[in-house]
Amino acid sequence: MKNAKKISEYVEGIFDQYGMDKYQFFFEYNEEKDAVCDIPLFPNGEPDAKTLDRISTHLGITQEEILAMDPAAAERYWVKYAFFPLYNEFVDVWRWHAQFRGDKPSYEELLLNAIFGGDRSLHRKRYNLNRIRKRMIDKLKEIDQIIPGTFHENAEITNFKVKTETIVSFPQCTAMVRSFLGMVERLKILFYRAIKEELPEEDRNELNFLASYLNATDTFLPSTAVTYDTVRKLRTVYEEEQKSDFYDYVRIRSHFAYPLWRCQEFFDDMGLVQEYENIFPETKGELRQFAMLISKFYCEFIWSDAKPITFPLEQEQELLELDLMFGEDDLPLSERVKEPTHIYIDKTPEEIGDDGKYVKRILDATAVSSKGGLSVPRRKRVSGAEYHDAQVRRLDALRKDGDK
Amino acid sequence: MSELSKKQLAGKNLRRLIKESGRTQQDFADEFGTDIRNVNRYINEGISKVEVIQEIAEFFKVDFGELFMDE
């Protein structure tokens, strides 16, 4: 029992070190409690073969190493890929510098300055919210000339909020992204090799780890990671399909709370940006929104005379049906929340400050591709029937292999 | 011109900009980072939200007013 606890701590430490999702290992959804609850790693209180196999596959370390709580095994991929230590550093830098505040000092700053004197700021960026508000009113009046009704002459602006982003500097960014792309490349190599031949244990483990860490799943089985065993079971299907693009077989899903593109140096090498985009096609859309927020303020407010929120007829009908289903009365229109207004206000050169030289670069990269923006890789679109057939072929192959 | 027709004008100009860029509506949805259903709605029902029009203008590198041009 004591041993199980120590092994469990060792395993949890690896999950934490790499920032991997612990769901279904250390916690899962409990239907009765309707909440996510902690669960023991070993359900019987002792290390069992089934759980050890799951952990071993997920983390890419052998069962013997898990039982021996081998520190070198825990560090294996941390040492192999510079990405991991660099990403940790990057997150720390980002958390510290990317915050912004209004021009009034926070309580922490007041306290700090009362103790130590001076005028310390805990935040890299400070903006004068009154000036932003004034510029927003001017902008509303300007747009009112094009879209009458944008500016409400006799109403008050309430619930005024401003959202923006800054872009931090992380000089090791290129090395971090290159190492990440190296992991993806290694996954590809091991994946194709596993289709053709049996791999030695070291490579099997690495493929397993990369499949877990990169959230790499079969394109047609979105919850099936392309671990070594899965690839071997599906190899005949893969060979028969003869797809030319790796991403027709495998999907990689970004899971970063702090995406790698959140730093200036990412945009020093647009070839690198495009390589990243080729792995994660959704990046361009995310980058575009980020570009809007580093070059502008996203203002939100509610006009005092705003109308309550309404939805298109179809959605209103759905809401009504939901109310009926739960036995609730439909909320009268007058009691609904009022419609908020959103508008972007350009930052001045002073407000953009050091971010300036990167802002244009990012806005250009996220513009339409016909005007020089990044191109979004075209993933092959398949019809519902084709998708279904591909899925059945895979499930059959997995089942057949399981019957052996 | 009524507000509704302004909305529709923005939708019509979005369709023109997509066409001029040599892209399909699906390409635009992918590059812009939105769902194709939103794009269909913008084009067929119009665009009422100022911030969406600002984003589209920035994406196509055109002036905000160009989304309201009536040929």
Side-chain angles (χ1 to χ4, degrees):
Chain A
M1 186 71 178
K2 200 177 167 189
N3 202 29
K5 191 170 179 286
K6 279 189 177 168
I7 294 171
S8 180
E9 283 168 3
Y10 166 79
V11 171
E12 190 165 13
I14 300 175
F15 270 91
D16 290 339
Q17 181 174 7
Y18 291 99
M20 291 168 86
D21 189 358
K22 294 190 272 188
Y23 192 76
Q24 288 188 344
F25 285 93
F26 291 92
F27 51 87
E28 66 180 18
Y29 177 69
N30 183 310
E31 212 164 301
E32 273 176 33
K33 293 179 183 165
D34 190 22
V36 173
C37 300
D38 290 344
I39 51 165
L41 180 63
F42 299 110
N44 309 322
E46 287 298 331
D48 60 280
K50 195 179 161 195
T51 310
L52 284 170
D53 184 51
R54 271 180 73 210
I55 306 166
S56 167
T57 304
H58 197 78
L59 298 180
I61 54 177
T62 66
Q63 295 191 27
E64 294 72 32
E65 286 167 335
I66 295 169
L67 289 169
M69 294 178 277
D70 184 345
E75 294 269 320
R76 185 171 297 139
Y77 305 108
W78 189 271
V79 173
K80 176 161 187 175
Y81 294 106
F83 168 78
F84 291 108
L86 287 175
Y87 183 68
N88 257 26
E89 255 183 74
F90 166 66
V91 171
D92 284 345
V93 168
W94 197 91
R95 276 189 189 144
W96 178 248
H97 288 285
Q99 301 182 61
F100 87 96
R101 287 290 184 278
D103 48 351
K104 286 182 187 154
S106 62
Y107 289 117
E108 298 100 301
E109 286 166 327
L110 286 173
L111 191 64
L112 198 68
N113 292 330
I115 297 169
F116 298 105
D119 187 19
R120 286 177 179 77
S121 173
L122 289 174
H123 307 288
R124 189 167 76 101
K125 293 273 184 185
R126 309 207 80 108
Y127 302 109
N128 184 318
L129 299 184
N130 281 335
R131 274 189 224 151
I132 298 169
R133 185 184 165 115
K134 190 179 171 303
R135 270 153 49 207
M136 181 188 77
I137 293 170
D138 291 343
K139 187 79 180 172
L140 288 163
K141 287 179 181 169
E142 185 190 315
I143 294 179
D144 192 71
Q145 302 297 310
I146 303 172
I147 315 171
T150 303
F151 184 71
H152 296 205
E153 192 70 53
N154 299 312
E156 296 287 317
I157 285 170
T158 67
N159 297 67
F160 176 65
K161 289 175 200 158
V162 173
K163 187 179 169 190
T164 193
E165 290 268 14
T166 61
I167 181 164
V168 303
S169 171
F170 182 60
Q172 301 96 314
C173 178
T174 308
M176 174 179 75
V177 179
R178 282 266 167 243
S179 176
F180 178 78
L181 296 176
M183 286 163 65
V184 175
E185 200 48 43
R186 181 77 180 140
L187 171 80
K188 272 190 211 176
I189 291 169
L190 293 172
F191 172 83
Y192 282 121
R193 271 184 56 205
I195 292 176
K196 289 198 172 69
E197 64 195 33
E198 285 192 17
L199 300 184
E201 188 175 50
E202 193 185 326
D203 290 345
R204 290 179 194 189
N205 286 336
E206 191 175 358
L207 173 58
N208 287 341
F209 172 78
L210 292 172
S212 307
Y213 185 78
L214 297 170
N215 280 341
T217 60
D218 182 280
T219 301
F220 300 95
L221 300 173
S223 54
T224 303
V226 285
T227 56
Y228 177 71
D229 281 349
T230 304
V231 178
R232 292 298 293 167
K233 285 173 189 170
L234 296 177
R235 67 184 187 280
T236 320
V237 176
Y238 292 149
E239 276 172 337
E240 280 168 6
E241 287 179 342
Q242 295 273 316
K243 293 181 189 297
S244 55
D245 185 358
F246 173 70
Y247 297 103
D248 287 337
Y249 291 119
V250 177
R251 285 279 186 275
I252 297 179
R253 287 174 185 80
S254 171
H255 57 285
F256 297 118
Y258 299 91
L260 310 188
W261 41 259
R262 275 184 172 275
C263 55
Q264 296 174 348
E265 292 78 3
F266 183 71
F267 302 94
D268 281 341
D269 178 353
M270 293 313 282
L272 191 74
V273 179
Q274 186 65 61
E275 274 186 64
Y276 189 81
E277 169 70 25
N278 292 343
I279 299 169
F280 301 115
E282 67 282 3
T283 301
K284 183 168 182 179
E286 293 166 359
L287 273 178
R288 189 187 59 73
Q289 282 173 346
F290 181 63
M292 291 299 285
L293 288 173
I294 53 172
S295 59
K296 300 167 198 338
F297 296 108
Y298 183 66
C299 300
E300 179 186 306
F301 68 92
I302 298 174
W303 287 113
S304 55
D305 63 353
K307 289 175 187 160
I309 290 181
T310 54
F311 301 99
L313 202 61
E314 206 176 296
Q315 281 179 35
E316 287 284 349
Q317 191 60 39
E318 284 172 15
L319 288 172
L320 194 65
E321 282 167 16
L322 278 176
D323 284 340
L324 283 172
M325 195 191 298
F326 292 109
E328 287 173 12
D329 292 331
D330 186 29
L331 198 66
L333 200 61
S334 58
E335 286 179 31
R336 283 192 189 178
V337 177
K338 286 181 177 177
E339 185 90 55
T341 298
H342 299 102
I343 186 167
Y344 288 102
I345 305 300
D346 286 330
K347 285 182 184 171
T348 62
E350 292 74 34
E351 286 163 342
I352 289 181
D354 300 341
D355 295 347
K357 68 174 179 177
Y358 289 96
V359 166
K360 188 178 178 308
R361 206 177 284 185
I362 305 171
L363 284 171
D364 285 350
T366 56
V368 61
S369 50
S370 62
K371 289 191 178 169
L374 293 165
S375 56
V376 175
R378 285 167 191 266
R379 298 281 191 256
K380 194 180 169 201
R381 290 180 204 282
V382 295
S383 67
E386 280 177 279
Y387 191 93
H388 178 258
D389 288 349
Q391 207 169 44
V392 168
R393 273 198 302 278
R394 282 158 173 72
L395 290 172
D396 279 349
L398 291 174
R399 205 174 300 128
K400 258 187 223 163
D401 202 279
D403 292 343
K404 278 179 195 170
Chain B
M1 196 169 273
S2 70
E3 194 191 340
L4 185 69
S5 64
K6 288 285 183 185
K7 272 172 56 174
Q8 289 172 328
L9 213 47
K12 193 178 148 194
N13 278 300
L14 169 61
R15 184 167 59 188
R16 175 181 59 79
L17 287 167
I18 293 172
K19 208 173 164 189
E20 281 175 5
S21 68
R23 301 291 180 274
T24 63
Q25 289 178 16
Q26 182 64 60
D27 292 338
F28 168 72
D30 293 343
E31 283 198 35
F32 192 72
T34 192
D35 195 279
I36 184 68
R37 283 171 297 186
N38 287 335
V39 180
N40 290 337
R41 212 172 53 235
Y42 294 155
I43 288 172
N44 298 321
E45 295 170 28
I47 314 168
S48 56
K49 293 191 182 300
V50 168
E51 77 273 21
V52 175
I53 302 171
Q54 287 179 302
E55 289 185 21
I56 290 170
E58 190 77 58
F59 180 76
F60 285 105
K61 291 182 174 282
V62 297
D63 287 336
F64 182 83
E66 196 178 320
L67 267 300
F68 298 94
M69 268 184 3
D70 199 2
E71 291 161 83

